[in-house]
């Protein structure tokens, strides 16, 4: 099991400090060569917190975690297929969801958000869209329980990560649509998009196609369950 899957499996146990440590590990190119004290300093936390994080993932201590990460990365490369969840479970939750929310903060995010809203509308499901930090306070446990939230991030939006951290322990369906897998452990399903580059022509057709594929499979699932 990759470290991403292990963190995802135990995410309900993780505190905000734990998520900071997890983010550092996943951003560290798969090699953990720091001592426990150095890692604690880099994450602005304590040695005890790092040890506690290691134990929450099922290790006896930091040394075991460090060995596991380095061994895991050498043995197995990470791609989108390794973090996909069972779509039947995802689709079942999406069908029975109470509310659907879409968060995206940027011009490309706005285009994708509009497309998702149209796809959902075709299934008779309506959604609300949000953007910017001021609206993060909207997403609380009471509102999100048994709901679905799509988080779209193609611009390395710090508020998207903040939102994922806020809702990580809430019982709702979380779907991340992004151009990098480092935060995928915080969601239930991940759609990996093409990167958007500054000062260049960014054709959005491929990215729309990936989202469209998701909803095509969703349609097939609904049809097969209605018959």
């Amino acid at each position: 099991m990759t470290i991403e899957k292990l963190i995802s499996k135990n995410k309900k146990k993780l505190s905000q400090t734990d998520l900071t440590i997890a983010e550092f590990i996943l951003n560290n190119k798969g090699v953990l060569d720091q001592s426990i004290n150095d890692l604690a300093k880099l994450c602005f936390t304590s040695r005890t917190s790092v040890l506690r994080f290691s134990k929450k993932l099922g290790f006896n201590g930091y040394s075991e975690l460090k060995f596991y990460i380095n061994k895991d990365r050498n043995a197995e490369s990470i791609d989108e297929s390794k973090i996909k969840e069972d779509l039947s479970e995802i689709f079942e939750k999406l069908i029975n969801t109470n509310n659907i929310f879409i968060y995206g903060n940027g011009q490309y995010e706005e285009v994708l958000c509009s497309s998702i809203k149209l796809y959902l509308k075709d299934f008779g499901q309506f959604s609300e869209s949000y953007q910017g930090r001021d609206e993060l306070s909207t997403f609380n446990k009471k509102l999100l329980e048994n709901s679905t939230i799509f988080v779209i991030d193609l611009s390395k939006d710090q508020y998207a990560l903040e939102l994922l951290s806020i809702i990580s322990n809430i019982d709702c369906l979380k779907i991340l649509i992004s151009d990098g897998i480092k935060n995928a452990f915080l969601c239930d399903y991940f759609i990996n998009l093409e990167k958007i580059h500054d000062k260049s022509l960014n054709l959005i057709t491929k990215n729309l196609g990936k989202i469209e594929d998701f909803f095509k499979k969703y349609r097939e699932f609904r049809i097969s369950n209605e018959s």
Side-chain angles (χ1 to χ4, degrees), residues 201-218:
L201 178 62
N202 290 290
L203 301 178
I204 204 165
T205 311
K206 285 186 178 179
N207 285 339
L208 283 174
K210 290 187 177 184
I211 294 172
E212 188 176 85
D213 286 342
F214 174 82
F215 283 101
K216 283 180 180 177
K217 292 173 184 176
Y218 182 45

Side-chain angles (χ1 to χ4, degrees), residues 102-107 109-110 113 129-139 149-153 155 157-164 166:
I102 309 171
Y103 176 87
N105 193 31
Q107 292 180 322
E109 287 84 349
E110 188 175 345
C113 175
S129 57
Y130 296 84
Q131 62 179 359
R133 191 183 193 284
D134 292 342
E135 296 190 321
L136 293 187
S137 59
T138 303
F139 300 106
I149 180 165
F150 291 83
V151 179
I152 310 169
D153 180 23
S155 52
D157 177 23
Q158 68 182 82
Y159 303 133
L161 176 58
E162 185 177 340
L163 174 58
L164 286 169
I166 289 170

